[in-house]
Amino acid sequence: MPTLDRHEDVFVLDLGDTENRFHPDWLASVDAALDEVEKADGPRALVTAATGKFYSNGLDLDWLFANGDQYERYAASVHGLFARMLTLPVITVAALQGHTFAAGAMLSLAHDVRVMRADRGYWCLPEVDISIPFTRGMSALIQARLAPRTAHEAMTTGRRYGGADALAAGIVDHAVDEDAVRTTAVELAGSLAGKAGDTLATIKTRMYTTVLEALRDRS
């Protein structure tokens, strides 16, 4: 399960050491951690990271297929996580040390900054290959955070981007050596910790009004 630690002004939320799929219990744990970050006072920022081969493989499809009657509630909770991360009143940095796929890739896009391992690991939206169409909210998030050409390619081809390619496409902001992913993310977050507060949250909310409306639309 995710764990939250604080290093001076930077909270580090470790998503786990497995595939870090979005099981309902996992989502609840992340939500509780974000509560703690929001309630803290003073300068602060957030880094999300993981341990092992994966940053996140996205939706917990095994759970979802076994609990199809709960799809709407589950989708709302996933959309809620994206919306909350997108508008969190602190600077957020995703430290992508491993594979970042599907909803995990979308979660990374909801962060302000992304740091990816340069030599191994892929960032990918494979929905076209697994026959799961993007929801309206997911589509809006991806298109708001990526350049049109990149969004089109990523969404329609399921291309797997390595670190260097992801950097060139503007998907990530930095591609670094494996042992520098988390430290670089923490340094970046720390340098921007003074931005935390209601003003930052308002700026983000107004910037992404259309995306938030799509993520919160239950129709």
Side-chain angles (χ1 to χ4, degrees), residues 1 23 32 38-39 41 51 58 80 84 91 96 101 113 173-174 185 191 214:
M1 295 297 287
H23 186 278
E38 283 204 57
K39 292 175 182 177
D41 296 321
T51 305
R84 188 171 190 188
I91 293 296
L96 312 178
F101 273 57
V113 182
D173 303 282
H174 303 274
S191 71

Side-chain angles (χ1 to χ4, degrees), residues 8-215:
E8 297 182 348
D9 291 338
V10 180
F11 286 92
V12 178
L13 176 58
D14 192 308
L15 303 179
D17 59 2
T18 60
E19 291 189 13
N20 306 324
R21 289 184 178 269
F22 293 10
H23 186 278
D25 293 340
W26 185 94
L27 289 167
S29 180
V30 170
D31 205 43
L34 297 183
D35 284 342
E36 186 172 340
V37 174
E38 283 204 57
K39 292 175 182 177
D41 296 321
R44 61 202 187 281
L46 173 68
V47 168
T48 65
T51 305
K53 185 177 180 180
F54 299 90
Y55 173 80
S56 174
N57 243 352
L59 302 185
D60 190 332
L61 297 179
D62 289 341
W63 183 91
L64 188 57
F65 291 150
N67 298 273
D69 59 323
Q70 298 185 49
Y71 170 77
E72 290 188 7
R73 181 185 299 178
Y74 180 75
S77 66
V78 172
H79 284 189
L81 173 60
F82 295 158
R84 188 171 190 188
M85 189 65 73
L86 195 63
T87 58
L88 208 67
V90 302
I91 293 296
T92 56
V93 184
L96 312 178
Q97 93 299 337
H99 296 313
T100 306
F101 273 57
M106 296 175 219
L107 177 61
S108 76
L109 291 180
H111 290 64
D112 298 305
V113 182
R114 283 156 298 287
V115 179
M116 186 174 178
R117 180 176 172 178
D119 62 329
R120 295 186 68 182
Y122 293 107
W123 188 100
C124 177
L125 297 172
E127 279 72 9
V128 69
D129 294 318
I130 58 177
S131 299
I132 299 179
F134 299 97
T135 65
R136 288 183 59 252
M138 291 173 176
S139 297
L141 171 63
I142 296 163
Q143 290 175 282
R145 298 295 281 134
L146 296 179
R149 182 174 180 177
T150 300
H152 182 88
E153 178 181 59
M155 296 173 76
T156 62
T157 71
R159 176 180 173 181
R160 297 186 176 196
Y161 297 84
D165 289 339
L167 179 63
I171 296 169
V172 301
D173 303 282
H174 303 274
V176 299
D177 292 339
E178 177 187 8
D179 58 1
V181 173
R182 191 176 295 212
T183 56
T184 299
V186 170
E187 289 172 2
L188 286 167
S191 71
L192 296 167
K195 312 297 182 184
D198 292 342
T199 297
L200 179 62
T202 299
I203 289 171
K204 291 182 182 183
T205 299
R206 291 176 178 172
M207 186 182 299
Y208 295 110
T209 297
T210 302
V211 179
L212 295 171
E213 289 175 350
L215 287 170

